[in-house]
Amino acid sequence: MFETHTNKQKASHLLGDIIHRAAFPFVLFSAVLLGLLLLSWYLLLPRFTHVEVGGTMRDIHTMKTYREELIEQIAEVEGKRNGFLLPVRDSLYTVLKEEKTQTLDFLSLRRVLLQAADTLLPDTKNVVGIRTVSYDVQEGVVELVGRIQNVGPRSMTVLAQFVEALEDLSVVASIEHSRYTREEDQNSDFYSPFTLRLLLP
Amino acid sequence: MVGMVFLGGASKLLFMHTQTIMEVKDVSIPLVAELPRLERRLTVLKEQVELSELSSATRLGSQEERVRVFALPEKADLDRLLAFFEVLREILERNGQLAEMSSVEVGDSKVLADGANARPVSVGFVVHEDGLETVMLLMHLAGLLTVGDILSEEEITLIVDRVEQENPVAVTTLEQFFSVDILKYAQNSKLYEEQLKRSISSTSVINAFQNVLRASLLRDTKRYLGSDLGSVLERYKLWPLQFMRTEHVEVEQGGAEGWYRLNIGLQIYSRSQD
């Protein structure tokens, strides 16, 4: 028992001695390592990570900031440049002109609608007979009044196709239409009258 | 203890070294490629603005004056408006495109929220298809001054982007094209288009430009204002027209094929109360 206690004492003395003896070299090593890494951080690394841009040496963070500044300046100068493309600066004129040009003009609108009517059944002439086109610009509503004709008893089906074709147009947001009927004229030909309200975007 | 502190500091520095090297690979290299491009773009834009400032001083002033005198005068010029409709009727009748025109009804003026003054005008026609298109085109062009005013924002952006990519300096020529008076363009469209095309060498950009010309209202402008109507409007000093906006339109099929009854309600604008 006395020997075990002595052995334990001897082991702890040994560990203490090792630590005591290794302390100074360890501190020296850590200090040198720290010093070298500090030198590397301030002297060596910048030589490989700094780049000359715009006549100045920049690190990654200043490059990011410089990029943001360039993008901001570009947007500002671009705005100035675009101002010269359309030279009139009168504010009232600009507002009225924008309101006018943002609304689809009747000429273009009518052409799109008539083309949809003409191409519905290309092999049959005069299928969609449009009697009236009216356009309320403020409300953004177009009303088409007419009839589907020259297609025999399937006039209601063709009317449904016409409504679908109009709904597919990018200039039309939605269509209000509720009545699908088939009637006969004095020559006993079938036709389907329609009144369509087209709501524009 | 001191050694542990030094070792901790060294570990941190080592970690920062690793991070920095990884950032160089992932962030710095792309930035280094992008920054010169951005710098070049900024330089080009600044040059364009300088050139535009030099050339636009006179142009801006005269355009602003035309807005104040013709497009948005102090008061609605009813004499000029009625003279315009008379000339329009005469030309369309002469060309066999108009059978009938109603009286021009002018309502009371009202002040709008933006300070402008507006008077309602309504007029009806019995016209052929070409006459209908002429009338509606003129109603849309009423008050607009230049080629750039006719084109939509998308059309302008498309052309500017394509021209800028090909030859940034040509944007100045593009500005000049956009500032051409509508009537002058309609009467000499080839001259102005060729002037612009000479500053562009790329076939794809020229094609994009031609597509915009074909698809936009410029095509109708050339067709209808490039005819005798444009010359007469110019001779009687009825162009540019006062600013008008269509409020409602009704087109009804006429008795004969290709003929229509056209009714239009407009607002005619001026700056202040009549």
Side-chain angles (χ1 to χ4, degrees), chain B residues 49 53 57 93 117 138 144 191 222 233 271:
Chain B
V49 167
E53 275 170 347
E93 269 178 349
N117 201 52
L138 287 172
L144 301 182
L191 170 72
K222 280 190 280 192
L233 287 175
R271 282 186 193 274

Side-chain angles (χ1 to χ4, degrees), chain A residues 20-41:
Chain A
H20 182 71
R21 283 170 199 251
F24 180 70
F26 176 69
V27 169
L28 196 61
F29 167 75
S30 311
V32 168
L33 180 63
L34 181 66
L36 286 173
L37 284 171
L38 275 170
L39 278 172
S40 166
W41 181 257

Side-chain angles (χ1 to χ4, degrees), chain A residues 96 138, chain B residues 71-82 85 104-112 114-123 139 242-248 264-274:
Chain A
L96 289 175
Q138 292 282 47
Chain B
L72 281 174
E74 286 301 317
K75 292 180 177 184
D77 192 338
L78 294 183
D79 288 344
R80 208 157 174 268
L81 174 73
L82 295 172
F85 278 113
V104 179
E105 292 182 19
V106 182
D108 292 331
S109 63
K110 60 179 179 185
V111 180
L112 304 177
D114 49 21
N117 201 52
R119 289 187 86 154
V121 175
S122 56
V123 61
M139 295 302 101
Q242 194 164 339
F243 202 99
M244 288 189 264
R245 265 185 68 184
T246 309
E247 296 284 297
H248 61 87
I264 313 173
L266 320 149
Q267 294 279 355
I268 181 166
Y269 290 85
S270 55
R271 282 186 193 274
S272 57
Q273 194 121 27
D274 293 335

Side-chain angles (χ1 to χ4, degrees), chain A residues 141-152:
Chain A
V141 173
V142 175
E143 193 174 85
L144 294 181
V145 177
R147 63 194 222 169
I148 301 293
Q149 58 202 10
N150 300 332
V151 288

Side-chain angles (χ1 to χ4, degrees), chain B residues 210-227:
Chain B
Q210 299 276 44
N211 286 340
V212 167
L213 291 182
R214 266 194 295 270
S216 68
L217 280 176
L218 284 179
R219 194 185 67 164
D220 293 317
T221 302
K222 280 190 280 192
R223 183 177 165 196
Y224 294 116
L225 270 188
S227 64

